[in-house]
Amino acid sequence: MNRAFSRKKDKTWMHTPEALSKHYIPYNAKFLGSTEVEQPKGTEVVRDAVRKLKFARHIKKSEGQKTPKVELQISIYGVKILEPKTKEVQHNCQLHRISFCADDKTDKRIFTFICKDSESNKHLCYVFDSEKCAEEITLTIGQAFDLAYRKFLESGGKDVETRKQIAGLQKRIQELETENIELRNKVQDLENQLRITQISTSPASSMTPKSPSTDIFDMVPFSPITPQLSTPTRNGTQPPPVPSRSTEIKRDLFGAEPFDPFNCGAGDFPPDIQSKLDEMQEGFKMGLTLEGTVFCLDPLDSRC
């Protein structure tokens, strides 16, 4: 049964879908920091995190340290935390990893969200201080999550599969480039050896001039247009016909397998790319809790 992303409370979105799907919405805020939490959701969970990070900020203020300013870029692909001047990305939180987002009703400057770290798989609570936009930022993240999940359902995971194929081809291209460099080195060594041989045997070879059409291996290049000339043997009989090459040859002159872009197995893909689709499905299935409003996976009407 198809499932849709629905809200139990009606919220008025702040931005057009195009602004979040084709671009991003920027916000400026102060970053209090992030801390590990035990649960992916819960008001008490984020309250403890905010209390902990506020206390740490007061200590740093007493030591003369300022709360760093950051730029938030919110889109359907995630929430990026950047250094505002250099635009260096400090954190990149994918939307399907964000499970809880809220602004503090007692302190309207504070907003926070919980995101599952991609490397440690721990749940981290990110806390920010925004003078005027705390509630708006929270709603923007909720809208981005809504749009991202709808797009995921519409594409049926095709975007992830396409990226998976591209990653496999890119990996194969890198392998081919490495093989190409090795083959060039082998050809260069053979050419150097051939030059040395020609120099050492130059008096004898001057009496028997070579055909100008031979390659570096003294072989006549094969041309599919030129028919093979029949050469009689000493007793006047024709040599036996040369057997045709099998189409099942899987290695070239240097022992390398020819590249077929349409024959890349699933095992060629990196493990992180291979599991991306399952990860996104699991993340979206958990949903996003926004200000006590649960974004859940409710079944659609069977007529849809």
Side-chain angles (χ1 to χ4, degrees):
M1 178 180 293
N2 294 328
R3 292 178 177 269
F5 191 74
S6 64
R7 291 168 291 160
K8 290 185 178 179
K9 285 186 180 179
D10 187 21
K11 292 287 184 183
T12 302
W13 293 136
M14 307 294 298
H15 310 282
T16 62
E18 291 75 15
L20 288 165
S21 60
K22 296 182 179 180
H23 306 283
Y24 60 85
I25 305 298
Y27 290 101
N28 293 320
K30 293 181 180 180
F31 186 32
L32 275 66
S34 63
T35 182
E36 182 182 353
V37 293
E38 297 181 357
Q39 300 295 329
K41 299 184 179 187
T43 304
E44 291 299 326
V45 173
V46 295
R47 279 181 184 172
D48 292 340
V50 170
R51 192 180 301 112
K52 177 180 178 180
L53 291 173
K54 274 187 174 182
F55 180 74
R57 183 182 66 168
H58 287 308
I59 294 178
K60 291 180 180 180
K61 269 191 174 183
S62 64
E63 296 174 350
Q65 298 183 25
K66 294 183 178 180
T67 305
K69 296 180 180 179
V70 295
E71 177 182 331
L72 299 176
Q73 293 182 355
I74 304 173
S75 69
I76 63 172
Y77 302 104
V79 179
K80 288 185 179 180
I81 305 172
L82 301 89
E83 205 286 326
K85 293 183 179 180
T86 63
K87 302 300 180 181
E88 179 183 357
V89 178
Q90 299 177 351
H91 303 277
N92 187 8
C93 304
Q94 296 173 313
L95 281 183
H96 67 273
R97 291 181 172 272
I98 299 178
S99 55
F100 189 90
C101 182
D103 55 281
D104 192 343
K105 298 306 179 184
T106 61
D107 186 351
K108 295 190 178 295
R109 300 168 58 100
I110 300 297
F111 70 95
T112 178
F113 64 82
I114 298 177
C115 180
K116 188 177 182 181
D117 184 66
S118 59
E119 296 182 358
S120 63
N121 282 331
K122 296 179 180 179
H123 296 286
L124 301 178
C125 183
Y126 295 80
V127 180
F128 303 86
D129 184 336
S130 177
E131 185 175 355
K132 298 179 180 179
C133 303
E135 184 178 4
E136 180 179 338
I137 294 173
T138 303
L139 289 175
T140 302
I141 294 176
Q143 182 183 5
F145 191 97
D146 191 349
L147 293 172
Y149 182 66
R150 292 182 184 276
K151 183 178 180 182
F152 179 78
L153 288 181
E154 292 172 358
S155 65
K158 292 179 181 179
D159 291 343
V160 179
E161 292 297 330
T162 302
R163 291 178 187 176
K164 188 191 302 182
Q165 294 176 5
I166 292 175
L169 292 176
Q170 288 176 343
K171 179 183 177 182
R172 184 56 182 154
I173 289 173
Q174 292 177 354
E175 293 175 351
L176 289 173
E177 289 177 350
T178 303
E179 292 179 5
N180 190 25
I181 294 175
E182 294 176 354
L183 293 178
R184 285 182 180 178
N185 294 335
K186 289 182 180 179
V187 171
Q188 186 65 40
D189 293 340
L190 290 173
E191 289 180 348
N192 293 336
Q193 293 177 7
L194 183 61
R195 290 194 190 98
I196 295 173
T197 305
Q198 289 177 342
I199 292 174
S200 61
T201 59
S202 56
S205 60
S206 60
M207 299 178 63
T208 56
K210 295 181 180 180
S211 174
S213 61
T214 58
D215 59 13
I216 61 173
F217 303 103
D218 293 339
M219 299 176 63
V220 178
F222 171 70
S223 175
I225 303 177
T226 306
Q228 289 186 342
L229 299 177
S230 59
T231 304
T233 58
R234 294 181 180 178
N235 56 7
T237 61
Q238 295 291 337
V242 179
S244 60
R245 291 187 175 184
S246 172
T247 59
E248 297 180 357
I249 296 178
K250 296 183 178 180
R251 297 184 178 273
D252 58 13
L253 177 63
F254 300 96
E257 296 183 3
F259 171 57
D260 185 359
F262 301 101
N263 195 25
C264 292
D268 295 335
F269 301 131
D272 55 339
I273 299 297
Q274 188 70 30
S275 62
K276 189 68 176 178
L277 182 59
D278 295 335
E279 176 192 314
M280 292 183 69
Q281 288 174 338
E282 180 181 356
F284 281 124
K285 184 177 180 180
M286 178 179 290
L288 172 67
T289 302
L290 179 63
E291 289 188 301
T293 303
V294 180
F295 287 74
C296 58
L297 302 174
D298 294 333
L300 281 176
D301 191 332
S302 59
R303 295 172 296 178
C304 295

